[in-house]
Amino acid sequence: MADNYLEKKMEDYLSGIGSAKSKSSRRLEGLLMKNRSYRGYDNSYVVRPDQLRRIISVATKIPSARNSQLLRFRPVTHEEAAKVSPYIRLGGALRDLKLPFEGTEPRAFVVICSATAEPDHYVYIDLGIAAQSMLLQAVEIGLGGICIGAFDKQAVKESLALPYEPLLVVAIGKPNEKIELVEIHEGENKNYWRDEKRIHYVPKIALDELIIK
């Protein structure tokens, strides 16, 4: 009886581990699916300073090449949004739409800077890890965002009086648009598009075609 009891406890334990892993995977997949590049936001929602701080806090936990930790982060709340908004560009593949639509502009940002004047490729590796981690954290707390590489770096630096060179602007807010992924094959058009209902479609190459065999 004792042996059966111990066997059952071990089975329950192993089953619990499997279940926990499964739930964890579902949570990660859910965050990844919600972590889209949003170009339209609900301006009635004001992103709080503590939310931006929580998003930036991921930088204290993520990897850094050679542990150099050369990235610095400048939160920009809605009071200062005008110091950044005029210098960013969104929806490069949809120029006719002139995104974002009036009244849906992002009103909060995190400007990611380099603490070294000549960032090497390791800094840019860190930049990618940091930006993705921050956006996943934003999704987890019910927000969303987009990484913006198309911006006037000098204008943003001067407007915010930054002591470092800006590398990337991450917009943060409450998304108010629908984005769907569309599976495509290698060689097909990868440009995103919108239909008459303003649903935003993003092509993604099928998994089997990403795997080298």
Side-chain angles (χ1 to χ4, degrees), residues 61-203:
K61 306 175 184 72
I62 58 177
S64 173
R66 300 179 295 188
N67 204 31
S68 58
Q69 302 180 67
L70 290 172
L71 298 180
R72 299 295 181 267
F73 307 84
R74 172 62 153 84
V76 179
T77 58
H78 67 284
E79 291 93 346
E80 289 188 299
K83 294 182 178 180
V84 176
S85 296
Y87 308 115
I88 63 173
R89 295 188 296 276
L90 296 177
L94 301 172
R95 296 184 184 278
D96 292 343
L97 293 182
K98 297 181 180 179
L99 299 175
F101 296 121
E102 186 175 354
T104 68
E105 302 89 347
R107 297 296 188 190
F109 305 91
V110 175
V111 180
I112 307 180
C113 303
S114 169
T116 177
E118 298 181 1
D120 57 22
H121 72 282
Y122 291 111
V123 173
Y124 286 98
I125 290 173
D126 285 4
L127 177 63
I129 295 171
Q132 174 73 344
S133 299
M134 287 167 54
L135 287 173
L136 288 172
Q137 178 64 84
V139 171
E140 187 182 60
I141 62 176
L143 302 176
I146 182 173
C147 291
I148 305 170
F151 70 99
D152 188 328
K153 294 184 179 181
Q154 189 60 34
V156 169
K157 181 179 181 180
E158 292 176 359
S159 181
L160 294 173
L162 296 172
Y164 304 112
E165 293 298 316
L167 300 178
L168 190 71
V169 172
V170 181
I172 301 292
K174 192 78 169 178
N176 73 345
E177 59 182 11
K178 185 176 182 180
I179 301 177
E180 294 187 4
L181 303 184
V182 179
E183 185 176 284
I184 62 171
H185 298 292
E186 182 69 69
E188 292 184 343
N189 193 338
K190 302 183 187 71
N191 287 342
Y192 49 80
W193 77 93
R194 296 193 176 196
D195 62 16
E196 64 280 358
K197 297 180 180 179
R198 292 187 176 179
I199 297 176
H200 190 93
Y201 296 93
V202 182

